[in-house]
Amino acid sequence: QKDNLMTTCYINGKYKPLGKSTVSVTDRGYQFSDGVYEVIAVFKNEFVDFKLHLNRLFVSLKKMDMKINLNKNQIESIIKKIKKINQLEMGIVYIQITRGDQNPREHKYSNNLKPNIVIYSIIKNFEYLNKLAQKGVKTSLYPDVRWQRSDIKSISLLGNVLAANHAKKNKSHEAVLFDNKNMITEGNSSSIWIIKKNKCITHPLNFRILKGCTRHKLISILKKNKFKFEEKKFSITSLLNADEAFMTSATNFIMPIVKVDKYTISNGKPGLNTLKFRNLFINAI
Ligand code: PLP
């Protein structure tokens, strides 16, 4: 596969090497992080939850009051074309849409801006994650210092970046965020779940978390398999005392959590239900 800078990138109607794909300094994404993004995994040459991600992209655009001159079908064709040109068999397609260039710089946005649309792909090794899932991962707690509209998949990711870096410093796979009442919201880039007494629990959908596509897919798997689940807030203490814990995301699928900082979850091994759900998820894709 090609070196990443040579990867083909769609940028505002053109297909260019990623290394030669640029936007202006006056782009509102660069100036204000005024934009949205989406990540779609490709696993064994197939897109994972394609429609869920495509729909969420348009939901994010709507919530940001952004209009683009391409419809869902057109975006879908570009994503598929990028996968094909780059011969992507395992990895992600990344989509970023910013509100466009505005000069002079001003917080208030003009209504006649032309959004900058960028779509490219990145090779990722999901086999490595598969191996990791057999052992489970360590996570680290971090306060949820993000803005209050985490339901929008916006490129304003500073809180997530700080949390992820805290996790990295602590040799953790992911940061688990908690609010000012010590309740878990989500991961720095995942949804967080616990299992207690054979019931799956995850934070309810509201402004404080992203509506994860993997979360959505897992809920339908749970329903199909008649496994109890509830969308309700749970505390740090509940996480530490859970029978099983795991995270879900487009790239991790369903990843067992076996440690939270110095605390071990249950017996320190991936939960049996968690591994079962992971297999069901992989079979479903
Ligand atoms: N929450 C946040 C903050 C995320 O960034 C992500 C994914 O990147 C998720 C949850 C999980 O969403 P999905 O399952 O759609 O990847």
Side-chain angles (χ1 to χ4, degrees):
Q1 302 219 7
K2 286 181 258 171
D3 170 68
N4 208 41
L5 284 177
M6 291 302 292
T7 298
T8 298
C9 171
Y10 168 92
I11 175 161
N12 299 327
K14 298 199 172 74
Y15 290 84
K16 293 186 188 178
L18 183 62
K20 293 202 160 60
S21 304
T22 54
V23 295
S24 164
V25 169
T26 56
D27 170 56
R28 289 187 63 93
Y30 182 64
Q31 294 287 339
F32 299 106
S33 67
D34 188 354
V36 299
Y37 75 107
E38 198 52 64
V39 173
I40 311 181
V42 173
F43 182 66
K44 296 192 175 165
N45 210 24
E46 298 290 338
F47 285 108
V48 181
D49 297 335
F50 191 95
K51 289 281 177 242
L52 291 176
H53 288 277
L54 188 63
N55 288 340
R56 188 172 64 188
L57 176 69
F58 279 78
V59 168
S60 297
L61 286 169
K62 190 150 191 264
K63 288 180 175 182
M64 296 272 282
D65 181 32
M66 281 170 62
K67 287 180 192 72
I68 58 171
N69 59 3
L70 297 174
N71 61 30
K72 270 188 203 169
N73 290 339
Q74 288 166 313
I75 293 281
E76 176 168 345
S77 307
I78 299 166
I79 294 171
K80 289 186 170 160
K81 189 162 167 186
I82 282 293
K83 175 183 175 291
K84 197 165 174 196
I85 298 174
N86 291 330
Q87 297 169 13
L88 185 73
E89 289 175 4
M90 208 166 277
I92 61 159
V93 173
Y94 179 79
I95 305 137
Q96 179 169 307
I97 306 177
T98 60
R99 201 180 298 275
D101 300 344
Q102 187 169 358
N103 190 17
R105 179 185 185 278
E106 194 191 347
H107 281 67
K108 295 174 189 125
Y109 50 85
S110 315
N111 288 325
N112 56 0
L113 300 178
K114 206 173 140 286
N116 282 315
I117 306 179
V118 167
I119 302 176
Y120 63 95
S121 61
I122 305 171
I123 300 165
K124 296 254 182 200
N125 181 357
F126 293 133
E127 297 300 350
Y128 153 76
L129 290 171
N130 224 358
K131 280 205 189 103
L132 205 56
Q134 303 314 313
K135 286 197 304 190
V137 296
K138 181 191 168 191
T139 59
S140 282
L141 290 165
Y142 194 80
D144 195 340
V145 295
R146 301 173 302 164
W147 74 318
Q148 301 191 20
R149 288 302 306 272
S150 303
D151 60 310
I152 304 173
K153 201 162 171 70
S154 92
I155 58 170
S156 294
L157 289 170
L158 197 49
N160 309 61
V161 166
L162 294 178
N165 216 54
H166 171 81
K168 184 179 165 191
K169 274 195 215 144
N170 286 283
K171 298 192 168 48
S172 284
H173 186 66
E174 181 86 352
V176 174
L177 309 177
F178 59 92
D179 67 15
N180 55 9
K181 294 201 171 82
N182 288 336
M183 304 303 269
I184 304 298
T185 50
E186 58 180 341
N188 63 261
S189 37
S190 64
S191 315
I192 301 290
W193 301 68
I194 55 170
I195 303 179
K196 192 78 190 170
K197 295 193 177 123
N198 287 315
K199 189 202 258 184
C200 269
I201 303 169
T202 196
H203 193 285
L205 293 178
N206 60 17
F207 284 172
R208 306 315 296 266
I209 67 159
L210 184 73
K211 184 179 178 187
C213 296
T214 321
R215 177 191 186 280
H216 183 86
K217 178 80 155 279
L218 177 59
I219 289 175
S220 61
I221 291 175
L222 293 176
K223 281 185 184 160
K224 220 189 246 169
N225 287 276
K226 300 197 167 42
F227 199 93
K228 279 187 276 179
F229 86 96
E230 194 177 357
E231 295 172 273
K232 71 162 189 192
K233 291 185 183 182
F234 60 91
S235 63
I236 294 176
T237 315
S238 304
L239 169 63
L240 302 182
N241 292 309
D243 297 334
E244 300 182 27
F246 61 92
M247 50 183 271
T248 57
S249 82
T251 51
N252 284 275
F253 304 157
I254 293 164
M255 180 62 80
I257 296 174
V258 293
K259 270 195 108 178
V260 179
D261 292 314
K262 63 179 182 187
Y263 303 97
T264 302
I265 306 292
S266 193
N267 62 1
K269 296 209 172 82
L272 295 181
N273 288 307
T274 305
L275 289 178
K276 189 172 88 186
F277 299 154
R278 183 179 171 87
N279 284 336
L280 288 170
F281 182 88
I282 291 176
N283 288 340
I285 59 174

